[in-house]
Amino acid sequence: MGKSKELSVDLKKRIIDLNKSGKSLGAISKQLQVPRATVQTIIRKYKVHGAVVSLPRSGRKRKLSHAAERRLVRMVKSQPRITKKQVCKDLEADGTQVSVSTVKRVLHRHGLRGCRARKKPLLQKRHLKTRLKFAVDHMDKDKTFWRKVLWSDETKIELFGHNTQQYVWRRKGEAFNPRNTMPTVKHGGGSIMLWGCFAASGTGSLQKVNGIMKKEDYLQILQENLKPSARRLGLGRSWVFQQDNDPKHTSKVVKEWLNQARIKVLEWPSQSPDLNPIENMWTVLKKRVHARKPSHLAELHQFCQEEWSNIRPEACQELVDGYQKRLVAVKMAKGHVTKY
């Protein structure tokens, strides 16, 4: 026998109204063409709950007990890279057979969702120690100090944005419609390497690197761009230069020139791009440049120069003024990677 159709809320309300007017169960059943037992059940539930809407049902009994759910959550927390299928196999080995969907629902209830692992530099114990020391040593520096820092770094920008993603609205079976695909070329269609610097007062020089940069090339970039950028940005005499610990940056010839030029260098912890705000500037630059869709490398370089100079000084200052938050994040993470 099939499942009977549930009465509408309006019909249930009419049953209650007739009952309140003094009509008997049999009279209500006959008038509304509803079984007497159903009328009696609706009136009884109304007297208990004060409503005619259907109450939540308990549903099917859960496959996993509360203890089993807690064990499942502990398993995933201790092994974040474990797959749902592997979780099912581990549970089955212990005598509990559940589907992948059940595992997913349980994890979602506990706030755990599958996400792409963020790519971050590999940190060894010595890196953690130096990062934590840097954060603690510079925690008392105020905005005035960081506004005197000239931040620098190199980046590679590909012509067609090899790592970009594009989402489209389409129907099933239309995945390979030319309107729904994103053309690609090998090696991103070519790329250029850039060296740049900026401070809280704005962007400094942006220099294209020809070929593979050697220490001599890096030295020439510093000689031609470092002091002019500092003067143009109004950093005064007591400014500090920031660079990472790339072997070219720490080479003997570069160190000697920096000493002779009396340029103070900020001691920097290795493997710490999250502590360098210029990484955020590179992200902004790449988004703006790729939005203009350059068609060849010369145009790519031109757009980079234009968009770099178009970044507002207010955006630079806001980025630098929030620097202490990075130090706090590194300290809270005990030297490990942060969201920056």
Side-chain angles (χ1 to χ4, degrees), residues 148-168:
K148 290 287 187 179
V149 176
L150 185 64
W151 308 90
S152 73
D153 196 18
E154 298 89 24
T155 191
K156 182 176 76 170
I157 300 186
E158 294 174 331
L159 181 59
F160 295 120
H162 182 72
N163 295 320
T164 57
Q165 292 184 354
Q166 180 69 55
Y167 293 90
V168 296

Side-chain angles (χ1 to χ4, degrees), residues 307-321:
E307 295 300 333
W308 184 252
S309 61
N310 287 338
I311 296 177
R312 297 181 300 109
E314 294 82 3
C316 299
Q317 182 170 326
E318 183 179 357
L319 191 60
V320 173
D321 284 352

Side-chain angles (χ1 to χ4, degrees), residues 23-36:
K23 287 202 172 187
S24 64
L25 299 180
I28 296 173
S29 174
K30 186 175 181 180
Q31 180 179 339
L32 300 179
Q33 298 296 310
V34 177
R36 187 179 187 281

Side-chain angles (χ1 to χ4, degrees), residues 194-207:
L194 299 171
W195 175 91
C197 62
F198 92 104
S201 51
T203 55
S205 297
L206 186 69
Q207 185 72 30

Side-chain angles (χ1 to χ4, degrees), residues 148-150 197-199 201-205 222-240 257 261 263:
K148 290 287 187 179
V149 176
L150 185 64
C197 62
F198 92 104
S201 51
T203 55
S205 297
L222 297 186
Q223 290 172 337
E224 295 176 355
N225 297 278
L226 206 55
K227 287 189 175 182
S229 293
R231 284 194 298 268
R232 190 167 67 253
L233 294 173
L235 297 183
R237 294 184 177 181
S238 59
W239 58 280
V240 180
W257 180 82
I263 296 174

Side-chain angles (χ1 to χ4, degrees), residues 124-159:
Q124 300 177 0
K125 287 185 177 180
R126 57 187 174 88
H127 298 135
L128 300 178
K129 186 176 179 180
T130 55
R131 281 167 55 83
L132 185 58
K133 184 178 184 302
F134 178 86
V136 173
D137 291 348
H138 294 83
M139 193 71 71
D140 60 340
K141 304 291 185 182
D142 58 12
K143 294 179 181 179
T144 306
F145 174 82
W146 299 115
R147 288 178 181 177
K148 290 287 187 179
V149 176
L150 185 64
W151 308 90
S152 73
D153 196 18
E154 298 89 24
T155 191
K156 182 176 76 170
I157 300 186
E158 294 174 331
L159 181 59

